[in-house]
Amino acid sequence: MESVSIRLQAWVKQLDIDTAAPMALVISLFFPFYLSVVTVSAIAVMTMVNYRMRSKALESPYCKALLGALIVPFFVSAVYNNYMGMLYSMLVLAAVICAFYLRSVMTGSLFNRMMDAACVASIFCAGLAFLQKAALFSTAPDYRPTSVFSNANYYGMMIEFLVLIALYRLFTNSKERVFYSVVIAVNLLGLYFCASMSSCMGLLCAVLVMFYLKKYYKWMGLFLALAVFAAASSLLFPILFPRVEAIDTTFGQRLSIWAAAIQGIQSHPIFGMGPTSYQMIYRVFDGYQTYHCHNLLLDTLLNYGIIGAGAMGLYIFVQCKILWLRFRNHICNEMNILLTAAFAAVIAHGVTDVTVYWIQTGMLFLILFSSTGICADYVESKLRLPKLLHIPSYPAKTHTHSVY
């Protein structure tokens, strides 16, 4: 018994927290969101209380400014008695801290292990969705399975990222081509069952962006042709995709939501009213009853105001600039393409929904963002990014790395 205890203590000492924590995080995203919340919060607290982890995580450009801006919505929510907004503010802050930690410890091998774990987990999630659909098909044929997620639209957003991840691994790990092809097929079937139209549009745009950046123009044309064929088939044979018939209704609902959101933004333009503000204003402005604005820009402005949205936009601009520099200097181009495609999915999906604003979907996107931490010193120091609006005119370099 004593020898077992000694071995266990030795194993704990050898455990690399900077590998175990990220792997635990990505796996937690494929369980009910309560586990994701606990995992993200634990990593955020661990990061802030540990000097080494905190100093390393907060050394990237403008991250402290972003964290400062994200603290404000907590107090704004308190002013308006928006208690749910206060909770969301803390969770968003924890997720961003978690993302900065991931970015500070990310390596090529760890990133690919996390992507593979997500692919494996997605198969189990799809299997659960198929069982849910089969169990309720006889009594509710229009039922949209949710798998382990809160609703079908969140599941659809996860599928967007998972298909992109599987494509990325298909390009970078050809030995397992069959496995990643199965992952793509299974998740596309899951997308068909959950019937998220916003996710279909987001995935279409993202895959086209990925093929374009990889210069796979023939595949790009073929995929676009298949998408047009699928859309035409849905219109000609609505039984293939019943939700197509609901487009008029859902669009009308969104017009009502957007009108109320715009009036809410006009009434609180500077700081907003904190996260989940739409639930506080839709009755006042006679909007359709729902949880959020169903538009990423409107929801951000309503929740965080011009100040908060501006701070987020500034940080996104800086990250886009860094991503451009990584492309220009051939640093981890495959990962850059994956992140760009995922960002395209978020933008396209965000026209009609805000499902990325959730712990599972949002955290998976932030995991993809953490790939910019690989060789970050070269981009941020060697290229000497001195000013926000200045892009240095260094000649493009062929910088070879042991990562994709």
Side-chain angles (χ1 to χ4, degrees):
M1 191 72 178
E2 185 177 352
S3 61
V4 173
S5 177
I6 294 173
R7 290 179 181 179
L8 181 61
Q9 292 176 11
W11 180 80
V12 171
K13 289 180 180 179
Q14 294 175 358
L15 182 64
D16 181 5
I17 191 66
D18 290 340
T19 298
M23 292 301 296
L25 173 63
V26 71
I27 292 171
S28 74
L29 302 183
F30 297 91
F31 286 87
F33 75 92
Y34 303 106
L35 182 60
S36 304
V37 169
V38 171
T39 306
V40 168
S41 301
I43 293 176
V45 170
M46 177 181 66
T47 300
M48 296 308 291
V49 300
N50 185 291
Y51 174 77
R52 178 191 66 84
M53 295 171 63
R54 182 175 69 252
S55 58
K56 191 174 181 181
L58 301 184
E59 67 182 5
S60 63
Y62 301 97
C63 68
K64 294 179 182 178
L66 178 63
L67 290 178
L70 290 177
I71 293 174
V72 175
F74 175 85
F75 298 101
V76 173
S77 299
V79 169
Y80 293 105
N81 296 321
N82 181 4
Y83 303 117
M84 186 60 69
M86 294 170 69
L87 292 175
Y88 265 80
S89 298
M90 297 304 295
L91 186 56
V92 168
L93 196 62
V96 172
I97 292 171
C98 193
F100 290 154
Y101 162 71
L102 290 176
R103 191 177 183 275
S104 71
V105 301
M106 192 56 63
T107 64
S109 60
L110 175 58
F111 184 81
N112 288 333
R113 287 172 64 185
M114 294 176 75
M115 298 301 98
D116 287 343
C119 287
V120 172
S122 73
I123 295 178
F124 290 99
C125 290
L128 179 58
F130 302 157
L131 290 175
Q132 291 171 346
K133 183 70 174 180
L136 295 174
F137 186 76
S138 60
T139 57
D142 294 335
Y143 170 72
R144 301 167 61 197
T146 62
S147 188
V148 299
F149 307 100
S150 299
N151 63 48
N153 292 326
Y154 289 137
Y155 182 34
M157 180 93 251
M158 291 293 284
I159 289 173
E160 291 177 60
F161 293 144
L162 290 163
V163 170
L164 295 175
I165 289 169
L167 279 172
Y168 158 76
R169 292 300 284 144
L170 190 66
F171 300 144
T172 57
N173 186 16
S174 58
K175 294 180 180 179
E176 301 295 338
R177 187 171 298 171
V178 174
F179 168 70
Y180 299 119
S181 299
V182 170
V183 171
I184 293 171
V186 166
N187 278 284
L188 288 177
L189 190 57
L191 180 58
Y192 175 75
F193 283 143
C194 76
S196 173
M197 291 182 286
S198 296
S199 297
C200 290
M201 182 56 65
L203 183 60
L204 170 64
C205 295
V207 173
L208 290 176
V209 167
M210 178 174 274
F211 284 160
Y212 176 79
L213 291 175
K214 288 192 67 63
K215 300 180 180 179
Y216 289 175
Y217 301 124
K218 291 181 179 179
W219 283 101
M220 185 178 172
L222 177 60
F223 182 74
L224 186 58
L226 289 173
V228 171
F229 174 76
S233 299
S234 298
L235 293 174
L236 293 173
F237 308 100
I239 194 173
L240 295 175
F241 197 56
R243 288 207 75 216
V244 171
E245 296 180 337
I247 289 179
D248 289 343
T249 302
T250 57
F251 186 69
Q253 292 170 354
R254 277 165 171 72
L255 288 178
S256 174
I257 295 167
W258 296 339
I262 291 172
Q263 293 180 74
I265 293 168
Q266 291 173 339
S267 64
H268 301 88
I270 306 302
F271 294 104
M273 298 176 67
T276 69
S277 292
Y278 184 80
Q279 297 180 45
M280 301 176 64
I281 62 97
Y282 73 86
R283 291 189 183 90
V284 177
F285 299 109
D286 196 27
Y288 180 79
Q289 181 177 354
T290 188
Y291 296 103
H292 47 66
C293 297
H294 282 80
N295 178 278
L296 193 55
L297 178 60
L298 292 179
D299 204 62
T300 303
L301 287 170
L302 180 64
N303 293 342
Y304 298 100
I306 296 172
I307 300 297
M312 294 180 193
L314 182 65
Y315 185 79
I316 291 172
F317 173 80
V318 172
Q319 296 309 310
C320 287
K321 179 178 178 181
I322 291 174
L323 184 62
W324 181 86
L325 291 171
R326 293 172 70 83
F327 269 118
R328 190 168 181 267
N329 288 270
H330 310 290
I331 301 173
C332 308
N333 269 355
E334 295 290 350
M335 294 178 187
N336 299 337
I337 291 171
L338 172 60
L339 179 57
T340 304
F343 187 67
V346 170
I347 296 300
H349 193 128
V351 174
T352 55
D353 213 340
V354 295
T355 45
V356 74
Y357 190 61
W358 183 243
I359 188 62
Q360 291 157 301
T361 53
M363 201 65 239
L364 185 55
F365 177 75
L366 291 176
I367 288 173
L368 300 182
F369 159 75
S370 70
S371 65
T372 60
I374 303 171
C375 305
D377 290 343
Y378 181 78
V379 175
E380 296 165 9
S381 300
K382 298 295 183 181
L383 291 180
R384 301 185 299 279
L385 194 63
K387 295 180 181 179
L388 179 63
L389 299 177
H390 172 64
I391 296 179
S393 57
Y394 296 96
K397 303 177 181 178
T398 303
H399 197 75
T400 306
H401 298 276
S402 59
V403 294
Y404 297 107

